[in-house]
Amino acid sequence: MRTDTPQTIYRKDYTPPAYLVDTVELGFDLDPETTIVASRLTMRRNPDSTEAGIELYGQNLKLVALRMNGATLREGDYRISSNVLRISKAPDQVTLEIETLTSPAQNTTLNGLYVSNGNFFTQCEAEGFRCITYFPDRPDVMAKYTVMLRADKQKYPVLLSNGNLVEAGDLPDGRHYAKWEDPFKKPSYLFALVAARLVCQEETFKLMDGRDALLQVWVEDGNLDKTDYAMQSLKNSIRWDEERFGLELDLDRFMIVAVSDFNMGAMENKGLNIFNTKFVLANSRVATDVDYAGIEAVVGHEYFHNWTGNRVTCRDWFQLSLKEGLTVFRDQEFSADMIGTDSGRAVTRIEQVRTLRQAQFPEDAGPMAHPVRPDSFVEINNFYTVTVYEKGAEVVRMYQTLLGRDGFRKGMDLYFKRHDEQAVECDDFRAAMADANGRDLAQFERWYSQAGTPVLTASGKYDARWLTFELTLSQSCPATPGQPDKLPFHIPVAVGLLGADGKDLPLTVGGKQHGGTAVLELTEASQVFRFTGVKEEPTPSILRDFSAPVVLNYPYTDDELLHLFSHDSDPVNRWEAGQRLAMERLLKLTAASAHGSKQELDDTFIEAMRKILVDESLDAAFRENALLLPSETMVAEQMEVVDPQAIHRARQFMRRVIGERLRADLHAQYDANLTPGDYSPDAISAGKRGLKNIALAYLSAAPDEHSDALARRQFDEAGNMTDRVAALVSLIHSESAGAALALEKFYDEFDNEALVIDKWFAMQAAAPGTDVAMVRSLMRHPAFTLKNPNRARSLLFNFANGNPAQFHAPDGSGYAYWAEQVMALDKLNPQVAARLARSMDRWRRYSPALQAQMKTALQKVAGAPKLSNDVTEVITKALSN
Ligand code: B3K
Ligand code: ZN
């Protein structure tokens, strides 16, 4: 929460801490109203610092006592201002004893120590530890922790913290205690405690070196039937990190705890990962294939942080991508390896590309654009972004593309050898990659320092006499806030050349032979690459496997795209060709719709879609992805002036025509991809369900009595949540007469399953027929609350981000609603409010009439009293950039 005028923090101002902390002893007397926190820190002057005094951070705390080397300090010995406690005169060796009070039950921010459903949890990243006690709460201060928890035994039978349990027992007055010791030094943001009434699934697991580790998944009573997949994913993660990176679990015990009130997905606290229930709880009755995949990815992600983030951590928060980009890359590789097949890998890659285009490219082009390693921030929590995470992962992936898998592994090995138990910078990671491989990666640094999505423009020239193909690659990068000019990036561009038969031609470039794909390295603003011995005029397949996070412009003809869509050996570019064909048409249809002229879709496109749909040599999951049209948001990003309603009409038209024209084949594929028998979330089965359900969606986009009956039957008979939800969405989107009843039935059946009720809100929020008035009435539903982030996201975020035609209603009612909700949420939970605030990022791209209304809404929020730093930063940037 804001205390003074928001201050901007700059990366260039970094200075080392004046004091280092060796040990931390914490004592908690847990009580929802007033928790007493006692801490004892042993500190010593940092030889690398020139600053004199001790600086501790603290927020919303009541200081009860402060002692230095046994002597009580009085005001004057120390000063507190702007959440900083300064002791200006201190000896070189210091033991500080601090006693503070905090009120977890009053803490609706879900940052620091808070209560959820009667249980205690903590969230300390990025700066939540300072809401628990005064501390040099910065990631470059790493210390060893011992934690004593005391609480009522009846209400809080389970007491957990980081590391190993060393002692436990009873206390007078019905209380009990548990003492935990973490053998590894860690920054304060990785501290965690849980005091709760919970149950667990547990197992011992043999590690690579023969040690046994105790694995536990803790949930509320009644949810033990939903922990198997999280446990399995944890075991798979541990094994994968051993095999792929030689990294072993360093603790004897590893715990995952699920909590229903949580600001994000999960948190990698050392040995005690705390998770949003959404990424733990699953069985076929309540969770979809997407939920299962999410659990695998997030369990993996948090586990992988144990090395990339915890053992080697960040020097300061500007280096966040050092751990996040790298760990996202690792979880992506883990998920791909779990599928195991090349085509399965490609599907995961396609999904990553879609996320980048849906969310990261718009961020890079908007008012909050920032480099992967930002130079400044007001509120660090606003920088847990798709740029830091997903673009950061792309940057890490490019090392692997440039150095090869083995080279990348060598770089990782050197990184750990050099930096284990240190707090380091993105540059240290780059240096390890360069040094381990004897490569100069100096220019590669620009991926960390320059914001914006580079644009790669390509053109090709075939010379039949000399059998050469010249590929000219040029790059540029649009200006972003504070960065008007950019220097060329070091871009790996994976290229293949297709012959007329659709096969890859052998490649020789710069005298060097490659297989079917060559990784070209573009380092200048413009370069020509000459392929020799090219026996026929090729169709170039550029940026295979999406080898860099850039926008590619190449003047493809429809015929070339159709050729690639039918034959490219690189599945990602094969999919990409289909997306380009669809995007061109969506843009034309949008223009036609805006001008009220006739909408038409050509046979060529429909036939190309049919060919993919019925090609049973292709994985079902790939076909599903190839049939999925670019989203309305992606179309909007391609337009000078966004017309949300015209985009929506165009996309709906296209879906309807595909549904009508491919009706028989869609029915056939529906039948061919049923998954009878017990539910399994494996990729093959999930792929079949995906294809079957997109067939259903197209059929419902062109509704007739058969499609309606099909959706109703699927809804009634489905043996799993994936099929249940798909059927319900089809009924809602086609405005079927059965939709209302199905929604009611769904609600009644799952009213005890919070995560399913979230889906119930989310489906309605994103339905084309849901307007602002309906969202307002859904907010009055007894199951709705703004206090629970999952619930708030399910309705508010899905409406603002997932229902653009309604959110951008011409009368501005969506914006007025947005402003109200941002302000209401900000009073409870600034982090979540700031996320919702981001929904207006792209406001300058709409028509003047819409812009004016959006500006009014933004200004309304900007003028609200006592706005948090979080929301202030987002709104100020939106209004000024
Ligand atoms: N590191 C946490 C995110 C913390 C967000 C703080 N606002 C989860 C993760 O990336 O694994
Ligand atoms: Zn992470």
Side-chain angles (χ1 to χ4, degrees):
M1 289 286 218
R2 178 146 126 206
T3 44
D4 317 287
T5 19
Q7 250 200 332
T8 302
I9 325 268
Y10 295 93
R11 182 167 64 89
K12 63 176 170 41
D13 292 343
Y14 173 85
T15 54
Y19 277 76
L20 300 173
V21 181
D22 291 313
T23 62
V24 181
E25 288 164 85
L26 292 170
F28 286 85
D29 281 290
L30 291 158
D31 176 274
E33 294 311 319
T34 308
T35 286
I36 309 169
V37 184
S39 100
R40 185 185 294 122
L41 316 176
T42 57
M43 306 175 77
R44 66 190 147 90
R45 198 181 288 282
N46 181 2
D48 295 338
S49 168
T50 51
E51 323 262 321
I54 295 176
E55 265 194 8
L56 310 175
Y57 306 102
Q59 217 168 303
N60 301 327
L61 298 173
K62 190 167 157 39
L63 182 63
V64 179
L66 175 59
R67 282 182 298 276
M68 182 161 72
N69 293 342
T72 298
L73 298 188
R74 319 228 168 265
E75 286 220 49
D77 300 332
Y78 68 90
R79 289 171 63 125
I80 299 180
S81 95
S82 308
N83 296 329
V84 186
L85 188 161
R86 281 193 187 81
I87 306 171
S88 46
K89 276 197 243 111
D92 290 353
Q93 301 278 340
V94 174
T95 300
L96 276 188
E97 289 166 289
I98 310 166
E99 208 176 295
T100 51
L101 306 181
T102 162
S103 315
Q106 265 67 64
N107 182 1
T108 58
T109 66
L110 312 184
N111 183 45
L113 177 65
Y114 65 95
V115 173
S116 165
N117 217 1
N119 295 322
F120 292 98
F121 298 90
T122 53
Q123 170 55 38
C124 292
E125 190 177 356
E127 298 176 337
F129 193 71
R130 63 189 63 185
C131 304
I132 297 176
T133 179
Y134 282 98
F135 193 79
D137 183 19
R138 40 186 288 171
D140 55 353
V141 172
M142 296 173 86
K144 280 198 183 165
Y145 285 64
T146 308
V147 179
M148 172 66 91
L149 304 174
R150 286 179 288 263
D152 186 283
K153 189 174 182 178
Q154 272 255 299
K155 290 192 192 131
Y156 314 105
V158 178
L159 303 175
L160 309 174
S161 192
N162 317 86
N164 300 316
L165 178 66
V166 289
E167 220 182 298
D170 289 337
L171 295 167
D173 300 329
R175 292 174 78 78
H176 69 147
Y177 74 93
K179 188 175 168 190
W180 291 80
E181 224 173 62
D182 185 346
F184 293 95
K185 39 178 210 164
K186 64 167 176 287
S188 51
Y189 80 85
L190 290 174
F191 165 81
L193 76 78
V194 172
R197 173 171 292 285
L198 297 172
V199 289
C200 84
Q201 173 178 354
E202 65 179 7
E203 208 168 300
T204 49
F205 186 76
K206 210 137 311 283
L207 303 174
M208 187 167 67
D209 73 353
R211 276 186 305 127
D212 279 329
L214 175 65
L215 311 181
Q216 297 180 318
V217 180
W218 292 90
V219 296
E220 281 186 11
D221 200 8
N223 280 331
L224 270 184
D225 60 340
K226 306 188 191 79
T227 52
D228 283 352
Y229 199 70
M231 179 60 92
Q232 188 55 51
S233 301
L234 177 58
K235 290 189 286 182
N236 292 344
S237 306
I238 298 175
R239 197 57 85 216
W240 182 85
D241 220 8
E242 291 176 346
E243 286 170 0
R244 176 88 182 255
F245 288 107
L247 297 172
E248 195 178 61
L249 175 59
D250 53 8
L251 293 163
D252 300 332
R253 178 171 182 153
F254 193 89
M255 299 169 277
I256 288 177
V257 182
V259 54
S260 51
D261 294 294
F262 205 64
N263 282 345
M264 59 265 171
M267 178 63 213
E268 69 264 25
N269 317 300
K270 186 82 187 185
L272 180 58
N273 287 187
I274 299 184
F275 270 61
N276 189 323
T277 44
K278 181 174 163 55
F279 294 107
V280 175
L281 304 180
N283 61 29
S284 61
R285 195 175 93 85
V286 299
T288 63
D289 294 332
V290 173
D291 295 329
Y292 275 88
I295 291 170
E296 179 177 81
V298 178
V299 168
H301 181 97
E302 305 312 330
Y303 176 74
F304 303 141
H305 267 315
N306 192 51
W307 279 95
T308 50
N310 301 5
R311 283 289 285 258
V312 182
T313 196
C314 302
R315 186 194 72 166
D316 55 70
W317 290 120
F318 299 103
Q319 317 297 329
L320 182 57
S321 199
L322 172 74
K323 74 178 178 80
E324 294 305 346
L326 176 53
T327 306
V328 171
F329 171 72
R330 275 152 54 70
D331 86 53
Q332 291 175 345
E333 288 290 275
F334 164 63
S335 294
D337 285 349
M338 284 298 109
I339 300 178
T341 62
D342 284 350
S343 54
R345 276 193 97 76
V347 169
T348 63
R349 188 70 190 128
I350 288 167
E351 284 160 358
Q352 291 151 18
V353 177
R354 196 180 281 120
T355 304
L356 284 169
R357 291 202 178 129
Q358 173 75 20
Q360 201 278 322
F361 287 9
E363 180 165 274
D364 242 349
M368 275 286 290
H370 53 276
V372 162
R373 181 193 57 205
D375 290 317
S376 68
F377 59 73
V378 170
E379 172 50 64
I380 181 56
N381 286 313
N382 284 333
F383 286 82
Y384 287 74
T385 58
V386 271
T387 298
V388 166
Y389 275 63
E390 270 72 21
K391 187 176 181 178
E394 293 299 314
V395 171
V396 174
R397 182 176 295 276
M398 286 190 284
Y399 288 111
Q400 184 170 277
T401 305
L402 290 167
L403 306 172
R405 257 200 201 206
D406 292 343
F408 184 77
R409 171 67 195 267
K410 278 192 210 149
M412 288 286 278
D413 290 350
L414 184 59
Y415 176 64
F416 291 114
K417 195 168 153 211
R418 285 181 176 171
H419 301 299
D420 190 15
E421 297 201 86
Q422 294 177 11
V424 302
E425 296 175 80
C426 297
D427 283 341
D428 295 310
F429 184 78
R430 186 167 51 88
M433 286 291 155
D435 297 349
N437 290 280
R439 285 280 309 247
D440 177 0
L441 292 175
Q443 189 183 350
F444 197 81
E445 196 263 347
R446 292 176 190 158
W447 283 110
Y448 291 96
S449 58
Q450 297 187 141
T453 308
V455 178
L456 182 64
T457 304
S459 63
K461 206 168 82 200
Y462 182 64
D463 186 324
R465 214 153 44 111
W466 293 97
L467 304 182
T468 58
F469 181 74
E470 274 184 8
L471 185 66
T472 305
L473 297 177
S474 311
Q475 57 166 314
S476 64
C477 182
T480 47
Q483 294 189 332
D485 303 307
K486 312 289 166 89
L487 294 166
F489 291 87
H490 182 172
I491 308 179
V493 185
V495 176
L497 300 178
L498 271 70
D501 63 357
K503 298 219 167 65
D504 281 333
L505 299 172
L507 301 182
T508 304
V509 58
K512 214 177 134 208
Q513 289 191 350
H514 299 261
T517 302
V519 178
L520 309 176
E521 295 189 28
L522 177 66
T523 52
E524 314 281 325
S526 187
Q527 267 166 269
V528 180
F529 297 89
R530 180 179 286 111
F531 293 85
T532 51
V534 185
K535 302 228 162 59
E536 55 176 301
E537 175 151 21
T539 306
S541 167
I542 307 168
L543 211 66
R544 280 185 160 175
D545 205 38
F546 204 65
S547 59
V550 301
V551 171
L552 169 66
N553 288 330
Y554 182 89
Y556 281 117
T557 62
D558 256 18
D559 284 344
E560 287 172 315
L561 289 175
L562 289 163
H563 191 55
L564 293 168
F565 195 37
S566 302
H567 301 291
D568 200 327
S569 66
D570 179 68
V572 175
N573 263 4
R574 194 169 174 186
W575 165 80
E576 176 70 0
Q579 295 291 297
R580 281 174 191 264
L581 289 165
M583 182 60 88
E584 271 173 30
R585 283 155 180 83
L586 280 167
L587 289 169
K588 282 195 190 128
L589 288 167
T590 300
S593 168
H595 300 125
S597 36
K598 191 163 180 298
Q599 311 230 45
E600 269 168 329
L601 190 57
D602 55 303
D603 290 346
T604 318
F605 179 71
I606 305 267
E607 288 314 313
M609 294 296 259
R610 187 196 310 277
K611 228 171 107 187
I612 292 282
L613 171 66
V614 302
D615 185 346
E616 288 177 5
S617 72
L618 295 169
D619 275 4
F622 177 81
R623 287 188 275 159
E624 179 208 353
N625 275 287
L627 290 167
L628 192 59
L629 302 175
S631 70
E632 292 177 24
T633 303
M634 292 176 200
V635 180
E637 285 299 313
Q638 302 298 314
M639 294 175 68
E640 286 290 313
V641 179
V642 182
D643 182 340
Q645 288 78 26
I647 295 173
H648 179 67
R649 286 192 299 269
R651 196 167 178 278
Q652 292 294 84
F653 169 80
M654 198 153 161
R655 294 177 68 239
R656 179 163 58 74
V657 177
I658 293 171
E660 278 165 3
R661 298 281 304 278
L662 303 185
R663 199 183 295 278
D665 291 312
L666 289 165
H667 273 292
Q669 289 303 322
Y670 183 97
D671 293 336
N673 287 283
L674 295 169
T675 49
D678 284 346
Y679 171 84
S680 156
D682 70 273
I684 300 287
S685 313
K688 285 184 170 186
R689 278 187 290 275
L691 180 57
K692 180 198 65 179
N693 287 330
I694 202 171
L696 177 66
Y698 276 120
L699 289 166
S700 306
D704 64 3
E705 78 262 33
H706 297 300
S707 65
D708 194 54
L710 194 62
R712 287 190 200 215
R713 196 179 71 211
Q714 177 167 323
F715 179 76
D716 289 334
E717 295 174 5
N720 60 72
M721 183 51 84
T722 307
D723 288 341
R724 230 42 207 314
V725 164
L728 187 50
V729 166
S730 285
L731 290 171
I732 302 173
H733 283 230
S734 61
E735 296 183 351
S736 157
L741 193 65
L743 271 169
E744 207 180 301
K745 220 171 126 185
F746 188 86
Y747 185 89
D748 290 343
E749 193 177 331
F750 295 106
D751 64 345
N752 276 326
E753 299 286 355
L755 295 171
V756 183
I757 299 305
D758 291 337
K759 296 184 198 304
W760 184 81
F761 279 108
M763 278 185 271
Q764 296 179 77
T770 300
D771 59 12
V772 181
M774 284 173 73
V775 178
R776 285 186 186 277
S777 85
L778 280 166
M779 280 190 79
R780 290 191 293 271
H781 190 282
F784 186 80
T785 168
L786 272 186
K787 289 197 181 136
N788 175 262
N790 287 357
R791 195 55 50 89
R793 282 188 280 258
S794 70
L795 186 59
L796 276 48
F797 291 49
N798 275 295
F799 181 66
N801 305 334
N803 198 347
Q806 292 283 7
F807 179 63
H808 296 279
D811 64 1
S813 54
Y815 310 143
Y817 169 75
W818 165 90
E820 270 170 42
Q821 299 313 318
V822 171
M823 292 185 292
L825 260 174
D826 196 42
K827 295 209 166 19
L828 297 167
N829 189 330
Q831 286 186 34
V832 177
R835 295 284 154 151
L836 182 63
R838 297 283 314 268
S839 301
M840 213 65 104
D841 269 12
R842 301 294 273 148
W843 69 282
R844 287 182 199 275
R845 298 173 41 84
Y846 292 79
S847 65
L850 287 182
Q851 271 193 41
Q853 312 207 59
M854 290 164 111
K855 190 170 182 181
T856 308
L858 282 159
Q859 284 169 333
K860 177 145 195 223
V861 177
K866 291 207 232 140
L867 212 55
S868 66
N869 279 353
D870 311 57
V871 172
T872 305
E873 178 172 35
V874 171
I875 300 287
T876 310
K877 287 185 173 163
L879 283 169
S880 55
N881 292 317

